[in-house]
Amino acid sequence: TILIDAGMGGLDILGPGFGRMGAGLAAAGVAPADVDTVVVTHLHPDHVGGLLADGAAVFANAELVVAAVEAGFWTDAAMAAQAPAEAQGRFQLAGAVIGAYGDAVRLVEDGADVAPGLRLEVSPGHTPGHSVLRIDGGDRQMLMMADTMHSADLHTAMPDVGFGFDTDPAQAAASRRRRFDMASADKMLIAGSHVHFPGFGRILTSGDAFRYAPATWI
């Protein structure tokens, strides 16, 4: 049982209505102890807050997989020291997550096959080690784009527009265009962490621009 990211858990940072991953897993009949692997796309609080409860690992039996460059950035004491005050909490949480999972943390490089049919590819800019996941289902492929785009409509129409939490907006835009080109050329189903309901769709080309087509919900 593989989980991609873990939401924000009990963190109260985006207002009411968030942090429901645990309830969602329970509704699907999955207990935290059932999860074998958690793959982290990046170490922002709204993706890893749900990995901890009272400072302890929620998924005690799971291996935690994260890009080495991502973990290296957020656990770099010198980098944290020069970060602005509003970013200090992100460094602290990332360090706490890595520390809580200890020997169960597996750091991987770009292009690593983290499980059969699941490949992690670093797509930097939003964070230094922000990653997307290519899911190979044989005759069906899907790309989990994580935070490659935050507004499907805005970022497909204007892919060079930055986002306030991007570490490097220009690099994020370049990564976005590269993933859009790939997804549209291969007609891949895509998912994203901040894509509106139903959360799945396709990136299509429209002249020299892109557009997002949500998957039909039946």
Side-chain angles (χ1 to χ4, degrees):
T1 300
I2 300 173
L3 179 66
I4 298 174
D5 288 342
M8 65 181 63
L11 297 178
D12 184 15
I13 56 175
L14 292 179
F18 294 91
R20 297 181 179 178
M21 183 208 61
L25 286 176
V30 178
D34 298 332
V35 176
D36 303 297
T37 304
V38 181
V39 184
V40 174
T41 62
H42 61 298
L43 286 162
H44 272 172
D46 56 326
H47 295 258
V48 299
L51 290 171
L52 299 179
D54 297 323
V58 170
F59 303 99
N61 297 328
E63 179 181 55
L64 184 68
V65 179
V66 60
V69 64
E70 180 73 358
F73 174 80
W74 291 105
T75 58
D76 185 322
M79 191 66 67
Q82 67 185 31
E86 61 269 21
Q88 291 296 322
R90 291 174 230 159
F91 282 91
Q92 292 164 8
L93 177 61
V97 166
I98 297 297
Y101 284 81
D103 293 340
V105 176
R106 174 158 59 111
L107 304 181
V108 299
E109 302 300 327
D110 179 27
D113 291 323
V114 300
L118 184 63
R119 176 170 294 181
L120 181 147
E121 298 177 356
V122 174
S123 192
H126 180 56
T127 64
H130 175 268
S131 303
V132 300
L133 294 162
R134 185 189 287 266
I135 301 169
D136 184 355
D139 60 342
R140 293 188 295 175
Q141 308 285 317
M142 189 174 84
L143 186 66
M144 170 51 177
M145 300 182 78
D147 283 17
T148 298
M149 57 183 179
H150 288 82
S151 167
D153 300 314
L154 174 65
H155 272 143
T156 48
M158 295 183 287
D160 295 328
V161 170
F163 180 70
F165 289 98
D166 289 343
T167 302
D168 185 332
Q171 188 181 46
S175 290
R176 185 178 302 119
R177 283 188 173 276
R178 187 162 54 250
R179 296 300 168 180
F180 284 0
D181 283 337
M182 174 198 302
S184 60
D186 295 344
K187 299 180 172 58
M188 297 177 72
L189 183 69
I190 67 102
S193 304
H194 299 277
V195 174
H196 54 70
F197 183 86
F200 299 89
R202 297 185 191 278
I203 304 295
L204 307 178
T205 54
S206 181
D208 294 331
F210 300 99
R211 68 182 178 89
Y212 174 70
T216 302
W217 181 258
I218 301 176

